Amino acid sequence: MTSNQAKKRRRKRKWLDWIPLMPFLFFCLVIMILPLFFMLKGSFTGSEGQFTLEHYAKMGVSIYAISFRNSILLSGITAILGVIMGTIVGYFICQLRSKRAQELVTALCDVTSNFTGAPLAFAFIVVLGSNGVLTLALREYLNWKIYPAFSIYSFWGLALAYTYFQLPLMVLLIIPAIAGLKSEWREAARGLGASSGQYWRYVGLPVLTPAIGAGLLLLFANAFGAYATAYTLTEFRFPLITLQLGFLLTGEVFRDPGAGDAMGILTLLMMGMSIIIYQVISRRGRKWQQ
Amino acid sequence: MAAMNKRTAVPGFAIGCFLFYMLLPIVATYAFSVATRWDRSILPEGLTLDWYKAAFTDQWFIIVFKNSLVLSISTVIASILLIVPTAYWVHLRVPKARPLLDLISTLPFAIPGVVLALGLIRLYARPPLMLARTPVMLVAAYVIFTMPFMYRPVANSLEAVNIRVLTEAAQSLGASWGRTLRQIILPNILPGILSGGLLVFATIFGEFTIATFLVGARYKTFPMQLVYFTRRDGRIASAYSVISFTIAWTTSLVILWIAAWGAKRTSGGGKHPTKGHTTGVVGD
Amino acid sequence: MSYLDLDHLNKAFDGAIAVNNLSLHVEKGEFVSLLGPSGCGKTTTLRMIAGFETPDSGSIHLAGEEITSVPPNRRGMGMVFQSYALFPNMTAWGNVAFGLRVAQKSQKDIKQRVNQLLDLVGLSNAGHKYTNELSGGQQQRVALARALAIEPRVLLLDEPLSALDAVVRVSLRHEIRRIQTALGITTIYVTHDQEEALSISDRVVVMRQAMIEQVGTPEEIYTQPDTHFVATFVGTSNQFPGILKDARSGLVTSVNGDWQISIPPIMDDHMQNGDALIVIVRPEEIRVSQAEIVIEEDNVITAVLETITLLGPVTRLSLSLPGQLIIADIKTVDRGRFVCGTSVQLSFPRRACRVMPGGDITNGDDN
């Protein structure tokens, strides 16, 4: 056999190797890529089929602008809260002396980070609704009437409910990173004369930084795309971008398809960027840990 | 002495607050579902199973439960059939395609349910296709939506057991493709498939957003009914919530258990095939 | 024609040549090692014999029958992998039995054969254990038993010991050789460890950059390296770069005239007077003595003793000449007389010198 024939055979086999991937790739194309592509196209297409930026221009005003601002604020605040509290709780969990207790709390995080959507919203109504368990207890024992200053159906109510699923997620993300802080590093720093504070400042926190940064972005995306929790609590009354999209989608006839496409694309952009940066940071973090 | 106390008091207090925050909504929901009345006093006025009875006797209960079950199981099966052979093939024969596969299976993380629903409706809900608002399309959307949950554990277990070398070892001992798949590959990636499948199951059983927009009232699911009752009758809603949450945490625990079992079995290999995570990083 | 014939094998991956026009002939019952640094093509060669890679060109014959494109599961080759590749879902017993089950042997035969093999590798009590309950050495024994169970026509071992610690490595390599001799099975053994290859093989194939550098018995490879690479990769070598002054009488001097060395006379014409060359001398050939003693030897050079390193029965002295270090291995019992920093004489006979052309001196390690 000449080497030319061999080369041809080899190239053919390489190409054949890709065929079993086709069903999967085709499925992803039809169900995921094409709809998003046409959404992108629709967001730049006017009612007569011409190219236009009017849909995006609309995003800067009125209800759309408010919705974006609220979504970013809500996701940002709950992400920051989740990261700070999650890191602290994660650190203390790693300090627990009983291995069993560590496992139990981690399992609780696993379970509660999946407690989202309608059941979570309902649970918060039970706890902090106007006749909620905690609402009543605070009024009774501390004479502290949290209503009407606070409402579970308001921004801070939503923030409290969102933090509920953000916090355990952060704990799960940060624990491996904290566990990866080797005790030798602390001892080495001690041996070099560093105080505990200096150890954290120069070694501990810098090593945790990728995990914390990655957590922040993941939590942000996680909250930004959430729908069911907010919907169950507020229906369409509180302006969030996902709720606005949902509002446009209810009813068989589309009210403003172009605006919907533009909102969808902007939401994808926010989430996509968060996820990409998250991936980059966490990959770098993983390299560091090895 | 004081320092000693401080050293244990701060972590104890922090973890205490954390547990309170995490457990209170759950405990309250469970208690609410068996309380006669609990909107006038600190403690429930009495215990009852009436709300469960009311939930179960509602003609819709069986229908929505069955619908959600059908959707979840169909999605798990479709997801396994689509993703497992693809992941195996890529790991074995087309390692070049792995970054592509990793990328595609991460994409759904960045696509909120409501955006996916919007895209599908805009593209497929118009004549002549009119496919978007059918349960079949819903399952297809669900396969995409849950793809990371299925792909990650499967890919991890494929890596953990070094599938390529095992395949070669089986072949050098004379085994055919079929036998290699049945007796070597499947048993070894089973923990990954199981945890992926369970995570997909739990996610879909509680999925509200995409279902509402794609099929809506034509194919009512369990979470839709739950949302409906949160507005109409909180006590029946609490029974629904408890059932929904119970399914979710049971699945989580089973996944953790499978992860521990898988890790024990392949502890020689080092990596945990499923990493013990049951979290599908999607807000709801 | 031999039992296993590899003829003009070529294999490239994405344009990078892994095996370049390789031919090798192995007799039945022979134990042949493929030795070389990583990336030299030895594993690719083994995988082509096993059938996991198809050569781009060339042919493989086994017992006269062409098997170049026979799928791996019909070749009847037993393979032992570096990572053991035991099936984690089966016990040790199940692993060894797998190939026999595939071959649809009777239950009774399987039972008898598996027990016999576990016995052969010294694991008759560990059959019920799962792979993660076995140590690395035990896992590799199971892998060996599994490969032998199918009575392979050729046994292939791909760096089987490199994941094990030193003591297990040495004892297991003796065991592999013992079992191979007892069964008389043709064996191809891939390793990057020269000591392993020399101690275990009938013949050693030294490979480098996709090609065979030298084939020979362990003794030939060690004492008569054909190339500079073989001389430096296999064992430790001292190199004296110099210029050939007189081919007939075998006289070499250093470039700046610090020393001169007598080598065996060069009879053929492949080197001319004035050529650059390298004289290679093994450390154990060099004797070291105090400066004041008068020595009768072909070559005597004065050097400064730099360091003394105890290696066990042997002590390694490093000695400096202008511009280079020389290593000499002496018996540890003779070590006491030397003091670092003093001048000593090193001496070696003419017959201990191997001469290589000095044109391009490449490093032995091409990773």
Side-chain angles (χ1 to χ4, degrees):
Chain A
M1 183 181 303
T2 71
S3 89
N4 224 357
Q5 268 174 317
K7 246 181 220 156
K8 222 179 262 172
R9 190 184 65 184
R10 204 166 70 233
R11 207 170 302 146
K12 200 171 150 202
R13 254 193 47 199
K14 278 241 165 97
W15 182 80
L16 283 174
D17 276 351
W18 283 77
I19 286 188
L21 300 185
M22 288 307 143
F24 174 83
L25 294 177
F26 179 74
F27 181 84
C28 292
L29 180 76
V30 169
I31 306 297
M32 177 165 64
I33 309 295
L34 281 184
L36 298 185
F37 174 76
F38 277 95
M39 191 186 289
L40 181 68
K41 201 177 142 221
S43 73
F44 287 109
T45 310
S47 48
E48 266 99 56
Q50 81 283 18
F51 174 84
T52 178
L53 289 173
E54 59 173 308
H55 307 308
Y56 286 99
K58 240 185 274 172
M59 296 298 116
V61 293
S62 71
I63 187 72
Y64 300 116
I66 297 171
S67 302
F68 268 114
R69 200 198 63 198
N70 283 341
S71 277
I72 292 172
L73 275 179
L74 184 63
S75 316
I77 288 172
T78 60
I80 292 169
L81 283 176
V83 164
I84 294 174
M85 300 197 298
T87 306
I88 295 172
V89 170
Y91 176 73
F92 287 141
I93 290 176
C94 288
Q95 299 296 100
L96 283 178
R97 248 167 255 140
S98 150
K99 193 99 186 125
R100 189 99 204 102
Q102 273 187 22
E103 277 169 10
L104 269 175
V105 184
T106 318
L108 177 76
C109 291
D110 246 320
V111 169
T112 48
S113 61
N114 285 329
F115 188 43
T116 58
L120 172 68
F122 180 74
F124 269 89
I125 297 174
V126 169
V127 174
L128 280 166
S130 46
N131 288 319
V133 185
L134 201 59
T135 316
L136 291 184
L138 290 174
R139 195 167 66 200
E140 206 69 15
Y141 291 118
L142 299 175
N143 198 23
W144 178 19
K145 298 193 181 76
I146 54 171
Y147 276 81
F150 169 86
S151 161
I152 193 65
Y153 311 104
S154 70
F155 180 87
W156 285 105
L158 281 173
L160 209 58
Y162 273 40
T163 308
Y164 184 91
F165 59 71
Q166 301 275 54
L167 179 54
L169 182 59
M170 186 61 198
V171 173
L172 291 178
L173 285 172
I174 199 76
I175 279 184
I178 291 177
L181 288 177
K182 298 202 178 75
S183 56
E184 292 95 315
W185 295 344
R186 184 194 283 264
E187 285 156 12
R190 268 283 147 83
L192 295 168
S195 69
S196 179
Q198 284 170 317
Y199 161 73
W200 278 110
R201 189 165 153 216
Y202 294 112
V203 185
L205 279 178
V207 174
L208 289 185
T209 302
I212 290 175
L216 195 64
L217 286 155
L218 191 70
L219 263 53
F220 180 85
N222 193 30
F224 201 87
Y227 178 87
T229 312
Y231 173 77
T232 311
L233 281 175
T234 73
E235 241 169 295
F236 297 123
R237 283 188 297 272
F238 190 83
L240 285 178
I241 200 64
T242 45
L243 292 183
Q244 279 307 308
L245 268 171
F247 184 64
L248 274 186
L249 269 171
T250 47
E252 302 284 312
V253 182
F254 246 121
R255 271 164 275 222
D256 189 351
D261 286 341
M263 264 194 288
I265 292 301
L266 288 179
T267 308
L268 279 178
L269 265 181
M270 299 285 298
M271 303 261 301
M273 277 181 344
S274 309
I275 295 289
I276 288 169
I277 304 175
Y278 157 76
Q279 291 266 333
V280 170
I281 298 181
S282 61
R283 202 160 293 166
R284 180 160 312 161
R286 239 172 286 149
K287 247 182 229 162
W288 240 15
Q289 299 257 317
Q290 277 157 11
Chain B
M1 202 51 204
M4 181 79 180
N5 273 345
K6 203 174 147 203
R7 194 174 290 170
T8 52
V10 173
F13 181 73
I15 291 186
C17 288
F18 172 71
L19 290 180
F20 179 76
Y21 182 39
M22 286 291 112
L23 289 174
L24 182 65
I26 297 170
V27 174
T29 309
Y30 274 81
F32 197 81
S33 72
V34 292
T36 49
R37 207 165 164 184
W38 198 13
D39 52 357
R40 297 183 300 202
S41 50
I42 308 298
L43 289 175
E45 290 171 25
L47 295 178
T48 177
L49 287 175
D50 283 355
W51 319 128
Y52 286 96
K53 220 179 281 167
F56 291 150
T57 48
D58 174 26
Q59 51 155 350
W60 277 102
F61 182 84
I62 298 291
I63 299 173
V64 296
F65 196 87
K66 195 204 76 195
N67 283 353
S68 278
L69 212 57
V70 167
L71 284 175
S72 312
I73 293 174
S74 316
T75 307
V76 170
I77 293 173
S79 185
I80 289 176
L81 289 181
L82 191 69
I83 293 169
V84 175
T86 308
Y88 171 62
W89 185 255
V90 165
H91 276 252
L92 185 69
R93 292 294 283 276
V94 209
K96 262 193 190 159
R98 256 174 72 181
L100 178 71
L101 209 61
D102 285 347
L103 175 75
I104 290 178
S105 61
T106 314
L107 278 182
F109 270 146
I111 309 175
V114 60
V115 175
L116 185 61
L118 172 73
L120 287 169
I121 289 172
R122 295 275 282 123
L123 186 58
Y124 297 118
R126 54 190 173 193
L129 283 162
M130 300 295 279
L131 289 169
R133 298 180 185 276
T134 59
V136 175
M137 183 56 94
L138 181 57
V139 168
Y142 278 166
V143 170
I144 293 287
F145 188 62
T146 58
M147 188 179 290
F149 312 160
M150 194 67 193
Y151 175 74
R152 237 8 310 158
V154 169
N156 284 344
S157 41
L158 282 168
E159 268 161 43
V161 294
N162 199 346
I163 221 65
R164 208 173 175 158
V165 180
L166 287 191
T167 303
E168 286 177 356
Q171 290 193 321
S172 78
L173 294 167
S176 62
W177 272 107
R179 188 188 274 270
T180 308
L181 274 177
R182 267 198 327 276
Q183 297 191 347
I184 308 298
I185 306 308
L186 274 182
N188 281 304
I189 60 172
L190 200 60
I193 298 178
L194 280 180
S195 25
L198 282 167
L199 193 50
V200 169
F201 179 88
T203 308
I204 298 311
F205 199 89
E207 207 287 329
F208 170 76
T209 315
I210 304 180
T212 313
F213 296 126
L214 284 192
V215 294
R218 270 155 304 181
Y219 198 80
K220 268 192 142 185
T221 64
F222 194 83
M224 288 187 212
Q225 194 72 351
L226 165 56
V227 172
Y228 167 78
F229 275 119
T230 57
R231 313 221 188 290
R232 270 194 58 126
D233 188 336
R235 286 156 317 188
I236 297 182
S238 69
Y240 269 80
S241 276
V242 164
I243 294 167
S244 177
F245 181 59
T246 305
I247 290 175
W249 69 251
T250 321
T251 323
S252 286
L253 292 184
V254 174
I255 295 171
L256 284 179
W257 179 76
I258 291 175
W261 168 66
K264 201 173 125 197
R265 230 180 38 163
T266 54
S267 58
K271 259 195 222 164
H272 294 190
T274 47
K275 282 190 181 155
H277 262 251
T278 76
T279 310
V281 188
V282 167
D284 48 0
Chain C
M1 178 178 296
S2 308
Y3 182 61
L4 175 66
D5 293 302
L6 315 182
D7 291 296
H8 307 289
L9 292 181
N10 280 293
K11 180 75 185 174
F13 296 105
D14 298 322
I17 295 169
V19 172
N20 188 356
N21 196 25
L22 181 141
S23 297
L24 180 68
H25 307 280
V26 179
E27 299 302 329
K28 197 170 167 94
E30 205 180 5
F31 194 120
V32 173
S33 287
L34 306 183
L35 171 68
S38 59
C40 71
K42 56 193 192 299
T43 292
T44 306
T45 307
L46 192 78
R47 289 171 60 82
M48 287 195 283
I49 301 173
F52 298 132
E53 307 288 354
T54 315
D56 296 340
S57 65
S59 67
I60 304 173
H61 287 80
L62 180 63
E65 166 200 356
E66 165 142 24
I67 58 163
T68 318
S69 47
V70 173
N73 55 345
R74 297 209 209 101
R75 287 201 186 189
M77 305 257 183
M79 176 110 171
V80 177
F81 297 82
Q82 179 177 7
S83 58
Y84 322 134
L86 293 183
F87 307 130
N89 55 319
M90 298 177 189
T91 59
W93 206 94
N95 265 283
V96 180
F98 181 81
L100 301 168
R101 291 212 176 103
V102 169
Q104 297 180 321
K105 293 272 179 348
S106 75
Q107 278 303 322
K108 195 173 134 251
D109 287 353
I110 293 178
K111 206 169 167 190
Q112 190 192 345
R113 178 108 183 108
V114 174
N115 288 338
Q116 177 196 342
L117 277 158
L118 285 175
D119 210 31
L120 184 69
V121 298
L123 284 176
S124 34
N125 296 323
H128 62 281
K129 289 191 176 164
Y130 279 90
T131 50
N132 60 343
E133 299 168 308
L134 300 169
S135 71
Q138 288 173 323
Q139 289 191 49
Q140 202 54 298
R141 285 162 197 264
V142 174
L144 183 63
R146 181 178 71 177
L148 290 170
I150 59 171
E151 296 180 44
R153 299 198 282 177
V154 180
L155 178 64
L156 306 172
L157 303 108
D158 185 8
E159 307 225 12
L161 306 179
S162 61
L164 302 171
D165 60 58
V167 178
V168 181
R169 205 151 60 208
V170 172
S171 74
L172 202 48
R173 84 178 178 223
H174 289 307
E175 205 157 332
I176 289 174
R177 179 66 191 193
R178 172 181 68 79
I179 291 169
Q180 187 267 341
T181 315
L183 300 178
I185 187 166
T186 313
T187 301
I188 314 280
Y189 188 99
V190 162
T191 181
H192 64 265
D193 180 335
Q194 37 105 2
E195 185 189 318
E196 207 167 279
L198 294 181
S199 66
I200 203 172
S201 321
D202 294 321
R203 269 197 305 158
V204 177
V205 178
V206 183
M207 289 183 69
R208 177 200 181 203
Q209 291 176 353
M211 294 205 269
I212 290 180
E213 197 78 1
Q214 185 175 358
V215 182
T217 64
E219 201 186 335
E220 285 165 354
I221 295 286
Y222 188 78
T223 59
Q224 298 160 46
D226 282 348
T227 66
H228 183 254
F229 172 79
V230 175
T232 49
F233 186 75
V234 181
T236 311
S237 295
N238 289 302
Q239 304 174 40
F240 296 89
I243 292 161
L244 185 59
K245 279 287 174 220
D246 188 343
R248 285 289 170 70
S249 64
L251 185 68
V252 177
T253 62
S254 78
V255 183
N256 47 17
D258 294 327
W259 45 256
Q260 58 179 42
I261 294 175
S262 306
I263 58 170
I266 295 172
M267 294 310 189
D268 51 12
D269 284 341
H270 76 278
M271 273 187 226
Q272 309 285 334
N273 288 350
D275 280 358
L277 50 70
I278 298 171
V279 180
I280 286 175
V281 185
R282 295 282 184 199
E284 66 271 21
E285 302 273 12
I286 298 180
R287 287 194 300 163
V288 182
S289 32
Q290 309 289 40
E292 55 275 14
I293 298 172
V294 179
I295 303 164
E296 290 287 318
E297 183 57 281
D298 300 333
N299 295 300
V300 180
I301 299 174
T302 304
V304 177
L305 178 57
E306 296 286 342
T307 60
I308 304 176
T309 313
L310 180 66
L311 300 179
V314 165
T315 290
R316 175 158 292 182
L317 307 182
S318 90
L319 310 135
S320 65
L321 286 177
Q324 79 175 116
L325 271 184
I326 300 295
I327 287 168
D329 289 343
I330 62 167
K331 282 187 192 156
T332 294
V333 289
D334 298 335
R335 145 186 82 111
R337 310 177 308 224
F338 299 109
V339 179
C340 288
T342 58
S343 274
V344 292
Q345 299 181 91
L346 43 102
S347 56
F348 48 91
R350 188 188 280 260
R351 53 147 192 87
C353 302
R354 297 275 304 171
V355 178
M356 309 282 160
D360 77 309
I361 302 167
T362 41
N363 209 331
D365 186 31
D366 53 359
N367 292 336

